[in-house]
Amino acid sequence: MAQRLGEQGGGGGRPPVRERAIEAAARLVSERGLDGVTLDAVAERAECSLPSLHTVFDGRDGLLAAVFELHGPLPDVEALAADPPERLEDTVRALYRNFVASFVREPRIVPAVLGDLLSRPDGPAARMMAANFPRLLDGLGRLLLPHIEAGRLRPLPLPVLMQLLLGPMAMHLLVRPVLAPALGPDLPSVEEAAELFTESYLRAVALPQTASSK
């Protein structure tokens, strides 16, 4: 197959294949779910060739991992870790705020990934998560481990701290479409829920502070 004109970028100011393919795949995930993302569909929407996708991403799993890296919570976590809040409370609140933002923004990647992960623990979402998990864990470690060392946070394993932090909020966001018609105005807003989860998380894992240790 002949390479399509300008697909490597630079022709007429078009973005390179990598950028176009990630954007095309992200839109397909949002519209169709992970099962709807084929390399053929991405190549057609991104106006590039199949060989170029294999060259740039080393297959479908590599492309999906790149989508989650860009559109999942990782960029927000790493940005927060680069300039972390001083207080544990502010750190937890910022993490919830960033997670909610990654969940609701378009294209809707995080809901699709979590839904697939819950239904198929060995499916494409699990491979997407596995590819990005080391960096995500590193970012969370830079945010939470200093508080363990300072005696503000219980010395639990970092994966457990992460699951206690993100698991309840992820489940809440996933079931909100079901809860909203049933509960109506009794359902707290996403912002109110994030604040409630912040308080609950701190009650569960924060250590009592003396005046000298705060």
Side-chain angles (χ1 to χ4, degrees):
M1 180 187 298
Q3 192 176 65
R4 301 183 186 187
L5 180 63
E7 72 173 25
Q8 290 299 330
R14 297 184 73 197
V17 166
R18 180 178 180 83
E19 293 180 21
R20 301 204 315 271
I22 290 174
E23 182 62 22
R27 294 294 173 186
L28 287 168
V29 170
S30 185
E31 295 166 10
R32 307 178 187 178
L34 293 181
D35 286 341
V37 182
T38 65
L39 291 183
D40 284 325
V42 173
E44 179 179 0
R45 186 168 293 198
E47 298 183 343
C48 65
S49 66
L50 278 174
S52 66
L53 291 180
H54 283 286
T55 298
V56 173
F57 297 104
D58 194 25
R60 182 174 180 266
D61 282 353
L63 172 58
L64 290 176
V67 169
F68 189 68
E69 177 183 355
L70 182 64
H71 292 286
L74 180 59
D76 293 330
V77 170
E78 291 188 330
L80 187 64
D83 185 21
E86 183 176 345
R87 298 196 310 161
L88 174 61
E89 178 182 352
D90 295 334
T91 298
V92 173
R93 185 174 288 110
L95 283 168
Y96 276 123
R97 183 171 60 245
N98 289 345
F99 181 71
V100 169
S102 72
F103 192 95
V104 302
R105 66 179 168 229
E106 297 290 344
R108 304 265 298 191
I109 302 302
V110 175
V113 170
L114 291 178
D116 188 83
L117 187 64
L118 291 173
S119 63
R120 295 183 295 179
D122 58 348
R127 296 190 291 273
M128 292 169 72
M129 293 284 289
N132 288 280
F133 189 74
R135 285 177 57 189
L136 183 61
L137 198 64
D138 176 70
L140 288 171
R142 285 185 283 151
L143 288 165
L144 298 179
L145 291 179
H147 294 289
I148 292 179
E149 294 167 359
R152 304 184 195 101
L153 195 60
R154 292 177 60 191
L156 299 172
L158 186 56
V160 174
L161 286 173
M162 182 183 73
Q163 290 167 331
L164 288 171
L165 178 71
L166 299 180
M169 191 65 188
M171 185 58 63
H172 175 77
L173 292 171
L174 283 171
V175 301
R176 276 189 74 88
V178 178
L179 296 176
L183 298 181
D186 292 330
L187 180 66
S189 68
V190 173
E191 293 77 14
E192 291 169 334
E195 187 62 28
L196 290 171
F197 281 121
T198 297
E199 295 172 1
S200 298
Y201 183 77
L202 291 172
R203 284 198 297 269
V205 301
L207 292 171
Q209 297 295 291
T210 64
S212 60
S213 62
K214 290 183 180 179

